[in-house]
Amino acid sequence: MATTSISFAESSLLNLVLRRADDALILGHRLSEWCGHAPMVEEDIALANIALDLVGQARSLYGYAALVEGSGLTEDHFAYRREQHQYRNCLLVEQPNGDFAATIVRQVLFSAFMDLYWREMMTSRDKALAAMAGKAEKETAYHLRHSGEWLIRLGDGTDDSHERAQTALDELWVYTGELFEADDIERGLAQSGVAPDVLSLEGSWNQRLAPILREARLEIPQAPFMQSGGRSGRHSEHVGYILADLQYLQRTHPEAVW
Amino acid sequence: MSALTELECHQDELVARAREAVAQVRDPEIPVLTIADLGVLRSIDVATDGTVKVAITPTYSGCPAIDVIGFDIKMALAKAGFCNAHVRQVLSPAWTTDWMSETGKAKLKAYGIAPPAGHASRRALFGEESIVCPHCGSSNTERVSEFGSTACKALWRCKACREPFDYFKCI
Ligand SMILES: [Zn+2]
């Protein structure tokens, strides 16, 4: 049977662009699941807006991925026509929404990382990535501020909201180590001035989080180990369900446009 | 008149006509503003064969209006007699509300949306400037939500006239 999956030539730059694009697409998709279900209408709108920013960032990145790959594929091919093991997103963004506290904790952890990442990317030697970063950094700063304020409200709120926020933080913490994993691809592109050195962002990330967690009266978990695998395509089972939803149309009607 | 000047005159006239057609295209989400008011329209070039090249920039990465705007530009140009048009999206320099014209800001206010206050900065982005109610002019206002009906707006409330209003975020 003919496959609807694309084949493409791998390269370091393409891999890096896909990591950023997949993070944005998968988290954007996760957040959009809240649409119509958030605890209040303002938050429903807020989560949908953040999802929209992320899907927009993903589109620019996939468009660039197609350009880098150079064989005539499009942004849609990269978004919808790869196999699960070809997605390069971190495990954090694929975690289920859980309750509102879990969604907010995931958002704070990720946005605090991306806020630092995009700000450094603005001085990249790669003009296309620097341009995308110039747009994304303002959006990301706004996402961090919004989710950070919510985390403070939840952590420093009722006994119930505090407990839920702490539980979410404890459960999601094991997925944060992966954000700072510097393999040959990250290291190589950092050395050539194309992308930030993710390893070097960890200290600043902890510094960004500390005052938020302190004000939220939340304790930084002590994780005995960190989960890993997303960057090399080893995902949790959750991604299969996400892709079934995301890819259905393009798998059933390849090349459909409207 | 020499042939050359005639050609130049003709070219200037073409550019002016194309610009006029494109500049009046409206933002589908805030139809009171044209893309020129918004600062989304970055450049227009007309080649000697009449091909028009337009560069636009999105307000936010995920702004769904940008594709519609691209389509509307081509339609407007076709109506003005330019059948060959290319619309290109540019990301850099990143769009800022500082590019919104004074006319645009006045139109927004008259439409009931508070225009971006001051110049783009982290402080301004986070809505820490005082925002004036577009209905009654009072500065006694408060933020209800950091996000609004579109990516570019936040939801505010006036404590003087009790009316809610949209605020066009300063970015
Ligand atoms: Zn008022």
Side-chain angles (χ1 to χ4, degrees):
Chain A
M1 201 179 124
T3 177
T4 54
S5 296
I6 55 165
S7 57
F8 54 93
E10 297 262 9
S11 70
S12 282
L13 180 58
L14 178 64
N15 202 312
L16 183 109
V17 173
L18 288 177
R19 289 175 185 192
R20 306 287 92 88
D22 293 342
D23 278 356
L25 178 72
I26 300 295
L27 186 56
H29 186 76
R30 273 289 186 231
L31 290 175
S32 72
E33 292 169 1
W34 274 106
C35 195
H37 302 275
M40 57 204 274
V41 70
E42 287 81 5
E43 209 37 40
D44 208 290
I45 292 167
L47 293 173
N49 262 291
I50 297 175
L52 190 61
D53 284 342
L54 288 168
V55 173
Q57 293 169 13
R59 275 195 71 180
S60 299
L61 287 159
Y62 285 132
Y64 187 50
L67 199 73
V68 169
E69 201 272 340
S71 75
L73 295 168
T74 67
E75 59 180 86
D76 280 1
H77 288 121
F78 281 100
Y80 301 122
R81 304 270 292 277
R82 282 176 298 151
E83 304 278 341
Q84 174 169 328
H85 67 89
Q86 294 173 312
Y87 280 78
R88 297 281 173 254
N89 60 281
C90 61
L91 299 171
L92 177 65
V93 295
E94 70 195 44
Q95 298 309 306
N97 286 336
D99 57 14
F100 184 62
T103 291
I104 290 298
V105 168
R106 185 184 60 198
Q107 197 60 44
V108 170
L109 298 175
F110 182 73
S111 301
F113 170 71
M114 286 313 294
D115 185 45
L116 297 164
Y117 189 90
W118 285 131
R119 264 202 249 183
E120 276 209 21
M121 186 64 105
M122 287 169 73
T123 56
S124 168
R125 270 184 42 214
D126 185 312
K127 293 289 162 259
L129 287 173
M132 286 179 237
K135 290 210 73 62
E137 72 95 19
K138 290 177 184 174
E139 294 161 2
T140 310
Y142 207 72
H143 301 168
L144 176 60
R145 205 261 315 223
H146 181 76
S147 50
E149 283 188 351
W150 262 112
L151 189 57
I152 292 166
R153 220 173 301 171
L154 294 171
D156 193 24
T158 64
D159 287 348
D160 185 32
S161 70
H162 175 81
E163 201 189 311
R164 284 169 184 252
Q166 185 66 58
T167 304
L169 190 61
D170 293 346
E171 282 174 6
L172 292 171
W173 195 258
V174 292
Y175 300 109
T176 57
E178 197 181 23
L179 297 171
F180 310 102
E181 254 173 32
D183 57 4
D184 288 348
I185 290 169
E186 299 279 352
R187 257 198 311 272
L189 289 167
Q191 271 160 16
S192 53
V194 170
D197 173 3
V198 283
L199 189 61
S200 75
L201 298 179
E202 190 166 11
S204 323
W205 181 78
N206 278 306
Q207 280 172 17
R208 295 301 298 279
L209 281 185
I212 301 174
L213 296 180
R214 204 179 311 124
E215 213 181 321
R217 298 191 305 110
L218 294 169
E219 288 196 21
I220 297 174
Q222 296 298 321
F225 68 99
M226 287 288 176
Q227 291 280 6
S228 169
R231 300 295 185 214
S232 50
R234 284 177 287 121
H235 295 283
S236 60
E237 65 170 326
H238 305 301
V239 167
Y241 292 95
I242 294 174
L243 294 186
D245 209 6
L246 259 179
Q247 297 191 337
Y248 174 79
L249 198 131
Q250 281 297 328
R251 293 292 189 180
T252 315
H253 306 282
E255 310 298 328
V257 286
W258 61 87
Chain B
M1 195 184 262
S2 75
L4 187 66
T5 2
E6 215 172 291
L7 193 68
E8 275 171 4
C9 273
H10 181 61
Q11 189 61 19
D12 286 349
E13 203 182 289
L14 276 185
V15 174
R17 224 172 71 211
R19 182 172 293 278
E20 199 189 337
V22 172
Q24 46 88 16
V25 168
R26 284 163 194 281
D27 176 350
E29 288 179 337
I30 310 172
V32 71
L33 293 183
T34 66
I35 56 172
D37 291 331
L38 258 173
V40 157
L41 178 58
R42 301 311 299 154
S43 67
I44 302 173
D45 294 302
V46 185
T48 39
D49 68 352
T51 302
V52 188
K53 282 188 181 157
V54 182
I56 53 175
T57 191
T59 53
Y60 284 77
S61 296
C63 181
I66 199 74
D67 292 334
V68 180
I69 289 172
F71 180 77
D72 288 350
I73 288 173
K74 286 187 181 173
M75 288 297 284
L77 283 170
K79 275 187 199 156
F82 299 94
C83 294
N84 215 344
H86 300 281
V87 181
R88 187 168 61 94
Q89 282 187 32
V90 290
L91 293 182
S92 183
W95 179 81
T96 158
T97 40
D98 291 352
W99 294 345
M100 192 187 286
S101 67
E102 290 308 314
T103 331
K105 288 181 187 170
K107 284 186 197 168
L108 266 186
K109 188 166 176 287
Y111 192 56
I113 298 174
H119 291 288
S121 67
R122 282 279 150 142
R123 240 180 83 80
L125 171 62
F126 291 156
E128 282 154 22
E129 306 289 343
S130 94
I131 307 302
V132 176
C133 168
H135 306 300
C136 76
S138 169
S139 303
N140 187 12
T141 57
E142 63 180 354
R143 194 185 70 208
V144 177
S145 175
E146 284 166 312
F147 294 88
S149 52
T150 63
C152 54
K153 289 178 284 176
L155 196 58
W156 282 63
R157 168 165 57 207
C158 176
K159 292 198 252 185
C161 74
R162 320 293 294 173
E163 288 289 329
F165 63 90
D166 271 339
Y167 165 57
F168 203 108
K169 288 184 286 197
C170 194
I171 186 171

PDB file of all heavy atoms in Angstrom, chain B residues 133-138 141 158-163 165, ligand 1:
ATOM      1  N   CYS B 133     -10.539  55.473  28.487  1.00  0.00           N
ATOM      2  CA  CYS B 133     -11.793  54.897  27.979  1.00  0.00           C
ATOM      3  C   CYS B 133     -12.184  55.576  26.665  1.00  0.00           C
ATOM      4  O   CYS B 133     -12.265  56.799  26.606  1.00  0.00           O
ATOM      5  CB  CYS B 133     -12.895  55.081  29.016  1.00  0.00           C
ATOM      6  SG  CYS B 133     -14.537  54.726  28.370  1.00  0.00           S
ATOM      7  N   PRO B 134     -12.406  54.799  25.586  1.00  0.00           N
ATOM      8  CA  PRO B 134     -12.763  55.409  24.295  1.00  0.00           C
ATOM      9  C   PRO B 134     -14.180  55.986  24.303  1.00  0.00           C
ATOM     10  O   PRO B 134     -14.535  56.767  23.426  1.00  0.00           O
ATOM     11  CB  PRO B 134     -12.652  54.237  23.310  1.00  0.00           C
ATOM     12  CG  PRO B 134     -12.859  53.021  24.135  1.00  0.00           C
ATOM     13  CD  PRO B 134     -12.345  53.327  25.507  1.00  0.00           C
ATOM     14  N   HIS B 135     -14.979  55.621  25.300  1.00  0.00           N
ATOM     15  CA  HIS B 135     -16.369  56.099  25.339  1.00  0.00           C
ATOM     16  C   HIS B 135     -16.481  57.455  26.044  1.00  0.00           C
ATOM     17  O   HIS B 135     -17.089  58.372  25.527  1.00  0.00           O
ATOM     18  CB  HIS B 135     -17.269  55.088  26.065  1.00  0.00           C
ATOM     19  CG  HIS B 135     -17.181  53.711  25.487  1.00  0.00           C
ATOM     20  ND1 HIS B 135     -17.498  53.436  24.175  1.00  0.00           N
ATOM     21  CD2 HIS B 135     -16.782  52.535  26.032  1.00  0.00           C
ATOM     22  CE1 HIS B 135     -17.311  52.136  23.952  1.00  0.00           C
ATOM     23  NE2 HIS B 135     -16.878  51.572  25.052  1.00  0.00           N
ATOM     24  N   CYS B 136     -15.892  57.565  27.247  1.00  0.00           N
ATOM     25  CA  CYS B 136     -16.089  58.801  28.025  1.00  0.00           C
ATOM     26  C   CYS B 136     -14.801  59.562  28.289  1.00  0.00           C
ATOM     27  O   CYS B 136     -14.824  60.652  28.833  1.00  0.00           O
ATOM     28  CB  CYS B 136     -16.803  58.477  29.344  1.00  0.00           C
ATOM     29  SG  CYS B 136     -15.721  57.700  30.567  1.00  0.00           S
ATOM     30  N   GLY B 137     -13.649  58.988  27.942  1.00  0.00           N
ATOM     31  CA  GLY B 137     -12.388  59.715  28.106  1.00  0.00           C
ATOM     32  C   GLY B 137     -11.781  59.610  29.497  1.00  0.00           C
ATOM     33  O   GLY B 137     -10.748  60.213  29.770  1.00  0.00           O
ATOM     34  N   SER B 138     -12.397  58.840  30.390  1.00  0.00           N
ATOM     35  CA  SER B 138     -11.859  58.718  31.746  1.00  0.00           C
ATOM     36  C   SER B 138     -10.620  57.811  31.758  1.00  0.00           C
ATOM     37  O   SER B 138     -10.517  56.875  30.972  1.00  0.00           O
ATOM     38  CB  SER B 138     -12.925  58.133  32.670  1.00  0.00           C
ATOM     39  OG  SER B 138     -12.335  57.778  33.905  1.00  0.00           O
ATOM     40  N   THR B 141      -9.724  53.306  34.616  1.00  0.00           N
ATOM     41  CA  THR B 141     -10.072  52.065  33.913  1.00  0.00           C
ATOM     42  C   THR B 141      -9.296  50.895  34.512  1.00  0.00           C
ATOM     43  O   THR B 141      -8.286  51.101  35.183  1.00  0.00           O
ATOM     44  CB  THR B 141      -9.701  52.168  32.423  1.00  0.00           C
ATOM     45  OG1 THR B 141      -8.304  52.467  32.317  1.00  0.00           O
ATOM     46  CG2 THR B 141     -10.486  53.253  31.719  1.00  0.00           C
ATOM     47  N   CYS B 158     -14.283  50.405  32.013  1.00  0.00           N
ATOM     48  CA  CYS B 158     -14.197  51.774  32.517  1.00  0.00           C
ATOM     49  C   CYS B 158     -14.968  51.858  33.820  1.00  0.00           C
ATOM     50  O   CYS B 158     -16.120  51.457  33.888  1.00  0.00           O
ATOM     51  CB  CYS B 158     -14.786  52.746  31.495  1.00  0.00           C
ATOM     52  SG  CYS B 158     -14.830  54.440  32.097  1.00  0.00           S
ATOM     53  N   LYS B 159     -14.303  52.356  34.865  1.00  0.00           N
ATOM     54  CA  LYS B 159     -14.970  52.440  36.167  1.00  0.00           C
ATOM     55  C   LYS B 159     -15.823  53.711  36.279  1.00  0.00           C
ATOM     56  O   LYS B 159     -16.635  53.830  37.174  1.00  0.00           O
ATOM     57  CB  LYS B 159     -13.928  52.390  37.293  1.00  0.00           C
ATOM     58  CG  LYS B 159     -13.262  51.015  37.378  1.00  0.00           C
ATOM     59  CD  LYS B 159     -12.588  50.812  38.723  1.00  0.00           C
ATOM     60  CE  LYS B 159     -11.079  50.876  38.569  1.00  0.00           C
ATOM     61  NZ  LYS B 159     -10.338  50.564  39.796  1.00  0.00           N
ATOM     62  N   ALA B 160     -15.608  54.654  35.355  1.00  0.00           N
ATOM     63  CA  ALA B 160     -16.404  55.892  35.388  1.00  0.00           C
ATOM     64  C   ALA B 160     -17.748  55.679  34.693  1.00  0.00           C
ATOM     65  O   ALA B 160     -18.799  55.899  35.289  1.00  0.00           O
ATOM     66  CB  ALA B 160     -15.624  57.022  34.728  1.00  0.00           C
ATOM     67  N   CYS B 161     -17.732  55.205  33.429  1.00  0.00           N
ATOM     68  CA  CYS B 161     -18.998  55.052  32.708  1.00  0.00           C
ATOM     69  C   CYS B 161     -19.489  53.607  32.727  1.00  0.00           C
ATOM     70  O   CYS B 161     -20.535  53.298  32.167  1.00  0.00           O
ATOM     71  CB  CYS B 161     -18.881  55.590  31.281  1.00  0.00           C
ATOM     72  SG  CYS B 161     -17.922  54.530  30.171  1.00  0.00           S
ATOM     73  N   ARG B 162     -18.743  52.711  33.371  1.00  0.00           N
ATOM     74  CA  ARG B 162     -19.111  51.305  33.565  1.00  0.00           C
ATOM     75  C   ARG B 162     -19.123  50.477  32.275  1.00  0.00           C
ATOM     76  O   ARG B 162     -19.563  49.337  32.290  1.00  0.00           O
ATOM     77  CB  ARG B 162     -20.490  51.152  34.255  1.00  0.00           C
ATOM     78  CG  ARG B 162     -20.775  52.131  35.371  1.00  0.00           C
ATOM     79  CD  ARG B 162     -19.897  51.940  36.568  1.00  0.00           C
ATOM     80  NE  ARG B 162     -20.118  50.655  37.254  1.00  0.00           N
ATOM     81  CZ  ARG B 162     -19.366  50.221  38.253  1.00  0.00           C
ATOM     82  NH1 ARG B 162     -18.341  50.938  38.659  1.00  0.00           N
ATOM     83  NH2 ARG B 162     -19.625  49.073  38.843  1.00  0.00           N
ATOM     84  N   GLU B 163     -18.666  51.052  31.168  1.00  0.00           N
ATOM     85  CA  GLU B 163     -18.699  50.300  29.907  1.00  0.00           C
ATOM     86  C   GLU B 163     -17.430  49.452  29.744  1.00  0.00           C
ATOM     87  O   GLU B 163     -16.333  49.896  30.058  1.00  0.00           O
ATOM     88  CB  GLU B 163     -18.793  51.266  28.714  1.00  0.00           C
ATOM     89  CG  GLU B 163     -20.140  51.950  28.544  1.00  0.00           C
ATOM     90  CD  GLU B 163     -21.237  50.995  28.065  1.00  0.00           C
ATOM     91  OE1 GLU B 163     -20.919  50.041  27.335  1.00  0.00           O
ATOM     92  OE2 GLU B 163     -22.407  51.207  28.453  1.00  0.00           O
ATOM     93  N   PHE B 165     -14.602  47.801  27.231  1.00  0.00           N
ATOM     94  CA  PHE B 165     -14.089  48.177  25.907  1.00  0.00           C
ATOM     95  C   PHE B 165     -12.875  47.347  25.544  1.00  0.00           C
ATOM     96  O   PHE B 165     -12.227  46.775  26.421  1.00  0.00           O
ATOM     97  CB  PHE B 165     -13.763  49.682  25.839  1.00  0.00           C
ATOM     98  CG  PHE B 165     -12.682  50.155  26.777  1.00  0.00           C
ATOM     99  CD1 PHE B 165     -11.344  50.166  26.384  1.00  0.00           C
ATOM    100  CD2 PHE B 165     -12.999  50.619  28.049  1.00  0.00           C
ATOM    101  CE1 PHE B 165     -10.349  50.609  27.247  1.00  0.00           C
ATOM    102  CE2 PHE B 165     -11.996  51.069  28.922  1.00  0.00           C
ATOM    103  CZ  PHE B 165     -10.675  51.070  28.520  1.00  0.00           C
TER     104      PHE B 165
HETATM  105 ZN    ZN C   1     -15.787  55.372  30.235  1.00  0.00          ZN
END
